[in-house]
Amino acid sequence: MRSPRQGKDHGAAPRSRRVKIGSGAAVVAAVAGLALSACGSSKPAASQSAPAAPPTVHTYLTLATGGMVHNKTGAAEGPKFIPGDFTLPAGAKVVLTIYSYDDGSASFASASSPYLKVTGGTETVNGSPVTSVSNQDISHTLTIAALGLNIPIPVSPAHGSTEYTPEVVQFTFTAPAAGTYTWQCFAPCGSGSAGLGGAMATDGYMKGTVTVA
Ligand SMILES: [Cu+2]
Protein backbone atom coordinates (compact mmCIF):
# COMPACT_ATOMS: atom_id res chain seq x y z
CA MET A 1 0.00 0.00 0.00
CA ARG A 2 0.95 3.56 -0.45
CA SER A 3 2.64 5.18 2.49
CA PRO A 4 1.08 8.39 3.75
CA ARG A 5 2.67 11.56 2.66
CA GLN A 6 2.61 14.88 4.28
CA GLY A 7 4.44 17.96 3.26
CA LYS A 8 4.51 21.46 2.05
CA ASP A 9 4.07 22.75 -1.43
CA HIS A 10 7.45 22.58 -3.01
CA GLY A 11 7.15 25.40 -5.47
CA ALA A 12 10.14 26.01 -7.70
CA ALA A 13 12.53 28.34 -5.97
CA PRO A 14 13.41 31.39 -8.02
CA ARG A 15 16.73 30.96 -9.72
CA SER A 16 19.38 33.36 -8.70
CA ARG A 17 20.32 35.65 -11.50
CA ARG A 18 23.65 35.12 -13.12
CA VAL A 19 25.66 38.27 -13.47
CA LYS A 20 28.00 38.42 -16.37
CA ILE A 21 31.17 40.28 -15.69
CA GLY A 22 32.45 41.53 -19.01
CA SER A 23 35.70 43.18 -18.09
CA GLY A 24 38.13 43.93 -15.34
CA ALA A 25 36.71 47.45 -15.06
CA ALA A 26 33.29 46.07 -14.35
CA VAL A 27 34.70 43.92 -11.56
CA VAL A 28 36.37 46.97 -10.01
CA ALA A 29 33.11 48.93 -10.26
CA ALA A 30 31.18 46.07 -8.67
CA VAL A 31 33.64 45.79 -5.80
CA ALA A 32 33.55 49.57 -5.31
CA GLY A 33 29.77 49.45 -5.23
CA LEU A 34 29.83 46.77 -2.58
CA ALA A 35 32.27 48.79 -0.53
CA LEU A 36 30.10 51.87 -0.80
CA SER A 37 26.95 50.09 0.19
CA ALA A 38 28.73 48.46 3.10
CA CYS A 39 29.71 51.92 4.38
CA GLY A 40 26.31 53.48 3.72
CA SER A 41 24.35 52.47 6.75
CA SER A 42 24.44 49.93 9.51
CA LYS A 43 20.65 49.86 9.82
CA PRO A 44 18.84 46.99 8.19
CA ALA A 45 16.83 48.07 5.18
CA ALA A 46 13.09 48.26 5.77
CA SER A 47 11.17 45.56 3.99
CA GLN A 48 9.42 46.95 0.94
CA SER A 49 7.62 43.79 -0.13
CA ALA A 50 3.85 43.53 0.09
CA PRO A 51 2.40 41.25 2.78
CA ALA A 52 2.89 37.67 1.65
CA ALA A 53 -0.18 35.62 0.75
CA PRO A 54 -0.76 32.73 3.16
CA PRO A 55 1.21 29.69 2.07
CA THR A 56 -0.58 26.73 0.55
CA VAL A 57 0.11 23.53 2.38
CA HIS A 58 -0.62 20.08 1.00
CA THR A 59 -1.37 17.36 3.51
CA TYR A 60 -2.02 13.77 2.51
CA LEU A 61 -3.91 11.10 4.42
CA THR A 62 -4.59 7.51 3.49
CA LEU A 63 -7.85 5.89 4.51
CA ALA A 64 -7.02 2.21 4.73
CA THR A 65 -9.49 -0.63 5.10
CA GLY A 66 -9.42 -3.14 7.92
CA GLY A 67 -8.00 -5.71 5.50
CA MET A 68 -5.06 -3.42 4.76
CA VAL A 69 -4.22 -2.73 8.38
CA HIS A 70 -3.19 -5.66 10.58
CA ASN A 71 -2.09 -5.80 14.16
CA LYS A 72 0.82 -7.86 15.48
CA THR A 73 -1.25 -11.01 15.65
CA GLY A 74 -2.15 -10.66 11.99
CA ALA A 75 -5.79 -9.92 12.69
CA ALA A 76 -7.38 -7.22 10.60
CA GLU A 77 -8.11 -4.04 12.43
CA GLY A 78 -10.76 -1.52 11.59
CA PRO A 79 -10.53 1.14 8.91
CA LYS A 80 -7.96 3.75 9.72
CA PHE A 81 -6.84 7.23 8.70
CA ILE A 82 -3.06 7.31 8.34
CA PRO A 83 -1.53 9.32 9.89
CA GLY A 84 -4.02 9.76 12.69
CA ASP A 85 -2.32 12.91 13.95
CA PHE A 86 -1.06 15.72 11.75
CA THR A 87 0.13 19.30 11.97
CA LEU A 88 -0.87 22.41 10.00
CA PRO A 89 0.53 25.95 9.99
CA ALA A 90 -1.89 28.52 11.46
CA GLY A 91 -3.68 30.60 8.84
CA ALA A 92 -2.37 28.60 5.89
CA LYS A 93 -4.49 27.60 2.93
CA VAL A 94 -4.67 23.84 3.30
CA VAL A 95 -5.34 21.32 0.58
CA LEU A 96 -6.06 18.08 2.42
CA THR A 97 -5.99 15.07 0.11
CA ILE A 98 -7.45 11.81 1.37
CA TYR A 99 -6.77 8.64 -0.61
CA SER A 100 -9.63 6.38 0.36
CA TYR A 101 -9.44 2.66 -0.33
CA ASP A 102 -12.57 1.82 1.65
CA ASP A 103 -15.37 0.29 -0.41
CA GLY A 104 -17.63 -0.18 2.62
CA SER A 105 -20.58 2.08 3.39
CA ALA A 106 -21.55 3.29 6.86
CA SER A 107 -24.98 4.89 6.56
CA PHE A 108 -26.37 7.11 9.27
CA ALA A 109 -29.58 6.22 11.09
CA SER A 110 -31.02 9.41 9.61
CA ALA A 111 -30.65 10.23 5.92
CA SER A 112 -30.71 13.91 6.90
CA SER A 113 -27.63 13.69 9.09
CA PRO A 114 -25.67 16.97 9.02
CA TYR A 115 -22.50 14.92 8.60
CA LEU A 116 -23.46 14.13 5.00
CA LYS A 117 -22.85 17.78 4.07
CA VAL A 118 -19.58 19.48 3.23
CA THR A 119 -18.97 22.34 5.66
CA GLY A 120 -16.03 24.56 6.51
CA GLY A 121 -14.34 24.33 3.11
CA THR A 122 -14.72 23.03 -0.43
CA GLU A 123 -14.50 19.40 -1.52
CA THR A 124 -13.85 17.50 -4.69
CA VAL A 125 -14.10 13.75 -5.25
CA ASN A 126 -11.89 12.51 -8.07
CA GLY A 127 -11.73 16.11 -9.26
CA SER A 128 -15.49 16.83 -9.29
CA PRO A 129 -16.90 19.36 -6.80
CA VAL A 130 -19.35 17.95 -4.25
CA THR A 131 -21.42 19.62 -1.53
CA SER A 132 -22.77 16.48 0.09
CA VAL A 133 -22.66 12.68 -0.06
CA SER A 134 -25.78 10.52 -0.05
CA ASN A 135 -26.55 8.33 2.93
CA GLN A 136 -26.18 5.24 0.71
CA ASP A 137 -22.70 6.29 -0.38
CA ILE A 138 -21.22 7.58 2.86
CA SER A 139 -18.18 5.64 4.05
CA HIS A 140 -16.54 7.93 6.63
CA THR A 141 -16.31 11.54 7.65
CA LEU A 142 -13.35 13.54 8.78
CA THR A 143 -14.94 16.06 11.10
CA ILE A 144 -13.45 18.78 13.28
CA ALA A 145 -16.53 19.78 15.23
CA ALA A 146 -14.84 22.72 16.98
CA LEU A 147 -14.22 24.33 13.58
CA GLY A 148 -17.53 23.41 11.93
CA LEU A 149 -15.51 21.42 9.43
CA ASN A 150 -17.00 18.27 7.92
CA ILE A 151 -15.56 16.19 5.09
CA PRO A 152 -17.96 13.42 4.01
CA ILE A 153 -16.09 10.60 2.28
CA PRO A 154 -18.04 8.45 -0.15
CA VAL A 155 -17.59 4.73 -0.73
CA SER A 156 -14.66 4.02 -2.96
CA PRO A 157 -16.42 2.17 -5.82
CA ALA A 158 -15.64 -1.18 -7.37
CA HIS A 159 -12.32 -1.82 -5.74
CA GLY A 160 -12.97 -5.21 -4.29
CA SER A 161 -10.19 -7.00 -2.50
CA THR A 162 -7.58 -7.01 -5.23
CA GLU A 163 -7.86 -3.71 -7.02
CA TYR A 164 -6.39 -0.91 -5.01
CA THR A 165 -7.09 2.34 -6.79
CA PRO A 166 -8.01 4.98 -4.26
CA GLU A 167 -10.80 7.48 -4.42
CA VAL A 168 -9.25 10.93 -4.17
CA VAL A 169 -11.09 13.29 -1.83
CA GLN A 170 -9.62 16.77 -1.75
CA PHE A 171 -10.73 19.37 0.78
CA THR A 172 -9.54 22.97 0.74
CA PHE A 173 -9.85 25.22 3.77
CA THR A 174 -8.04 27.83 5.82
CA ALA A 175 -6.21 26.54 8.86
CA PRO A 176 -7.44 28.17 12.08
CA ALA A 177 -5.45 29.89 14.80
CA ALA A 178 -2.87 27.87 16.67
CA GLY A 179 -4.29 25.22 18.92
CA THR A 180 -5.01 21.55 19.26
CA TYR A 181 -8.14 20.19 17.64
CA THR A 182 -9.71 16.76 17.69
CA TRP A 183 -10.94 15.26 14.45
CA GLN A 184 -13.14 12.22 14.30
CA CYS A 185 -15.29 10.18 11.96
CA PHE A 186 -19.01 10.37 12.64
CA ALA A 187 -20.17 7.70 10.18
CA PRO A 188 -20.88 4.46 12.07
CA CYS A 189 -18.06 2.55 10.42
CA GLY A 190 -16.89 0.55 13.44
CA SER A 191 -17.89 -2.81 14.82
CA GLY A 192 -20.93 -3.72 16.89
CA SER A 193 -24.59 -3.39 16.08
CA ALA A 194 -24.46 0.42 16.13
CA GLY A 195 -21.16 0.56 14.25
CA LEU A 196 -19.59 2.60 17.02
CA GLY A 197 -17.13 0.04 18.44
CA GLY A 198 -13.70 -1.01 17.25
CA ALA A 199 -12.13 1.63 15.03
CA MET A 200 -14.74 4.21 15.98
CA ALA A 201 -13.76 3.93 19.62
CA THR A 202 -10.00 3.77 19.07
CA ASP A 203 -7.67 6.76 19.00
CA GLY A 204 -5.57 6.83 15.85
CA TYR A 205 -8.18 5.00 13.76
CA MET A 206 -11.31 7.11 13.44
CA LYS A 207 -10.18 9.82 15.78
CA GLY A 208 -7.01 11.85 16.14
CA THR A 209 -5.42 15.21 16.77
CA VAL A 210 -4.72 18.12 14.47
CA THR A 211 -2.06 20.41 15.86
CA VAL A 212 -2.12 23.92 14.41
CA ALA A 213 1.08 25.81 15.12
CU1 LIG B 1 -15.12 6.06 9.78
Side-chain angles (χ1 to χ4, degrees):
M1 82 186 215
R2 225 176 254 217
S3 57
R5 291 175 288 158
Q6 184 171 11
K8 291 184 178 179
D9 196 13
H10 295 291
R15 287 188 190 170
S16 56
R17 277 186 205 159
R18 289 184 189 167
V19 178
K20 284 188 182 170
I21 307 283
S23 68
V27 172
V28 171
V31 171
L34 283 175
L36 282 173
S37 66
C39 293
S41 170
S42 60
K43 290 180 187 171
S47 172
Q48 294 178 355
S49 56
T56 299
V57 173
H58 290 270
T59 297
Y60 301 88
L61 303 180
T62 297
L63 179 40
T65 64
M68 294 165 68
V69 184
H70 293 74
N71 62 24
K72 286 176 183 170
T73 66
E77 297 176 335
K80 182 176 187 175
F81 283 89
I82 305 168
D85 300 332
F86 52 96
T87 300
L88 301 172
K93 180 186 172 191
V94 178
V95 180
L96 177 62
T97 302
I98 301 165
Y99 297 106
S100 178
Y101 293 86
D102 199 345
D103 56 356
S105 63
S107 300
F108 290 97
S110 165
S112 58
S113 168
Y115 298 111
L116 293 165
K117 291 185 178 153
V118 177
T119 58
T122 57
E123 179 172 331
T124 62
V125 176
N126 296 331
S128 299
V130 301
T131 56
S132 65
V133 170
S134 76
N135 203 29
Q136 293 78 42
D137 288 340
I138 192 76
S139 183
H140 299 276
T141 75
L142 194 157
T143 308
I144 305 177
L147 300 177
L149 187 157
N150 188 60
I151 309 171
I153 299 168
V155 168
S156 203
H159 295 155
S161 57
T162 55
E163 187 184 342
Y164 289 112
T165 302
E167 185 139 83
V168 181
V169 176
Q170 209 160 48
F171 188 82
T172 303
F173 67 107
T174 301
T180 302
Y181 304 87
T182 298
W183 70 262
Q184 71 183 99
C185 171
F186 278 93
C189 64
S191 57
S193 57
L196 298 176
M200 282 294 275
T202 308
D203 219 23
Y205 282 75
M206 285 292 138
K207 192 167 87 172
T209 301
V210 184
T211 303
V212 180

